Amino acid sequence: MKRPSVQISAMGRSVPARVMTNYDFAAIGIETTHEWVMERTGISERHIAGPDDTTCSMGAKAARIAMQRAGVLPGEIDIIICSTATPDRLLPATAVDIQASLGASRAAAFDISAACCGFLYGMTMAEGLIQSGAAETVLLVSSEKMSAITDWTDRATCVLFGDGAGAAVIRRSQKGRGILSTFMRSDGTLADLLYRPAGGATTPMSPAVLEARTHLVHMAGREVFKHAVRSMAESADRALDGARINGGDIDLLIPHQANLRIIEATAKHASIPMSKVYVNVDRYGNTSSASIPIALDEAMQKGVVGEGSLVLMVAFGAGFTWASSVVRL
Ligand code: UT7
């Protein structure tokens, strides 16, 4: 029996109002320059949560926009998946807070933890849930308050991240639209290259943890960079192969927005010209799992892509995790 096709019906996004530029780091005692950050990462500014912005509030705002565009009421949502590396609290899931905020009382709600790949992992899960008949309408919310787990004294990492959320309403597809291929991989032997060493059940929060700042993100930047380039290339190949197309067929590549140099390497590997690559890392920094849905929503709203466009999405993040997908919008 042919499995039903599944599509992204509509997208939404939300970022905090506050913008922090590369020039603002001097005021918090960080020794860096706009030129260094631009040259090494391509990031010029990022949005940073204010006191009232939470992972739930940003995610719910993005979700409301996506639901309104899809014409979906809260009571029609069967499942809410929230991907986040920055849950508002560790128990229960941020997804249930989003459920309460939306009034989506019929839904089952849970979080997934797949770092920067959360949106593509979540989309693959949503596809399977719909194909199995477990759900008709899935709300996928990727919301990240990276500023809450950033070490604001470490210049090697604090310049990289930003806050924000993207959301997708996912349903059965119409008119040949939909997800054409998905690919997911992980390698837990490399977990310690990008992680929060403490603050979990093994080493709970304590004065010593706070003082050592080991509850915050630690990253071996150069190592992560090398793996990101390699794994994003593999991911692009696998999603293109899965959809039986090549880079030349793609209307838009939306890579995870961590570093412009990684984005350029991925595009070059897939033989996709930069004119067909969506880049907004300059304005948002790395928003972890929110980066791809924010970029996809922006590209759709700007008319860079529309109904029928062929989009390749590729991600890499902590875990390590890597993933990709080709969708016909
Ligand atoms: O979302 C998950 C995926 N994450 C990523 O993809 C991140 C991957 N990694 C990267 O993007 C890059 O490794 C970074 C942007 C994090 C760093 O760039 P890099 O070219 O690998 O720099 P580096 O860490 O090797 O540091 C080079 C130098 C060092 O100085 P010395 O030891 O050569 O004297 C650093 O201390 O740059 C220095 N440095 C800085 N200088 C000015 C590090 N951070 C800064 C800074 N401003 N903010």
Side-chain angles (χ1 to χ4, degrees):
M1 192 178 81
K2 192 180 179 301
R3 294 182 306 170
S5 302
V6 172
Q7 75 178 53
I8 295 172
S9 295
M11 297 292 304
R13 71 176 188 279
S14 163
V15 295
R18 182 178 160 215
V19 173
M20 182 176 187
T21 73
N22 291 341
Y23 296 100
D24 295 330
F25 286 103
I28 56 166
I30 295 293
E31 253 183 72
T32 191
T33 60
H34 171 73
E35 290 68 29
W36 190 94
V37 182
M38 274 304 279
E39 191 191 310
R40 304 312 294 162
T41 71
I43 300 167
S44 174
E45 58 188 42
R46 69 286 290 144
H47 291 253
I48 298 293
D52 295 331
D53 298 313
T54 65
T55 300
C56 172
S57 72
M58 294 186 290
K61 202 166 166 191
R64 278 190 197 94
I65 296 167
M67 287 161 61
Q68 200 240 330
R69 289 184 184 146
V72 165
L73 297 169
E76 293 177 272
I77 295 168
D78 298 308
I79 295 178
I80 300 173
I81 304 173
C82 175
S83 79
T84 187
T86 57
D88 286 327
R89 33 174 210 240
L90 294 181
L91 187 76
T94 299
V96 299
D97 291 335
I98 293 172
Q99 171 186 27
S101 171
L102 298 174
S105 52
R106 274 187 58 244
F110 59 92
D111 287 0
I112 60 168
S113 174
C116 303
C117 291
F119 183 77
L120 295 182
Y121 271 51
M123 203 177 80
T124 306
M125 289 178 71
E127 181 188 31
L129 287 163
I130 292 168
Q131 287 178 335
S132 73
E136 276 187 19
T137 303
V138 177
L139 175 64
L140 172 60
V141 184
S142 298
S143 186
E144 306 282 8
K145 188 172 166 178
M146 295 303 289
S147 59
I149 60 166
T150 295
D151 184 346
W152 290 101
T153 66
D154 174 19
R155 69 173 184 174
T157 53
C158 74
V159 298
L160 303 176
F161 299 109
D163 299 332
V169 171
I170 300 176
R171 305 184 104 173
R172 277 194 188 199
S173 72
Q174 295 147 1
K175 293 185 277 178
R177 296 164 63 191
I179 299 166
L180 302 185
S181 67
T182 56
F183 167 75
M184 299 189 291
R185 280 288 184 282
S186 311
D187 185 353
T189 65
L190 301 169
D192 291 2
L193 294 176
L194 174 50
Y195 73 139
R196 296 171 66 192
T202 307
T203 315
M205 288 298 284
S206 68
V209 167
L210 279 176
E211 184 166 339
R213 311 181 78 77
T214 45
H215 58 302
L216 302 171
V217 170
H218 284 55
M219 177 167 75
R222 253 181 237 186
E223 283 303 304
V224 175
F225 187 97
K226 277 189 266 175
H227 284 281
V229 168
R230 205 177 304 145
S231 302
M232 300 258 293
E234 181 201 352
S235 298
D237 289 346
R238 296 297 292 268
L240 291 169
D241 288 351
R244 295 193 180 85
I245 57 172
N246 58 51
D249 299 318
I250 289 295
D251 294 311
L252 191 67
L253 166 63
I254 300 185
H256 170 51
Q257 310 280 318
N259 184 313
L260 184 57
R261 292 182 290 146
I262 299 172
I263 292 172
E264 287 170 345
T266 306
K268 189 169 173 204
H269 175 85
S271 303
I272 298 174
M274 284 306 287
S275 58
K276 289 187 171 181
V277 181
Y278 199 78
V279 177
N280 64 11
V281 69
D282 52 323
R283 290 177 287 117
Y284 296 110
N286 180 349
T287 58
S288 191
S289 74
S291 103
I292 286 181
I294 288 173
L296 176 58
D297 183 51
E298 255 189 15
M300 289 167 85
Q301 292 308 307
K302 286 184 177 170
V304 178
V305 285
E307 206 174 308
S309 298
L310 207 47
V311 177
L312 168 63
M313 297 178 274
V314 182
F316 174 84
F320 290 142
T321 54
W322 57 108
S324 56
S325 177
V326 171
V327 300
R328 168 90 58 197
L329 289 179

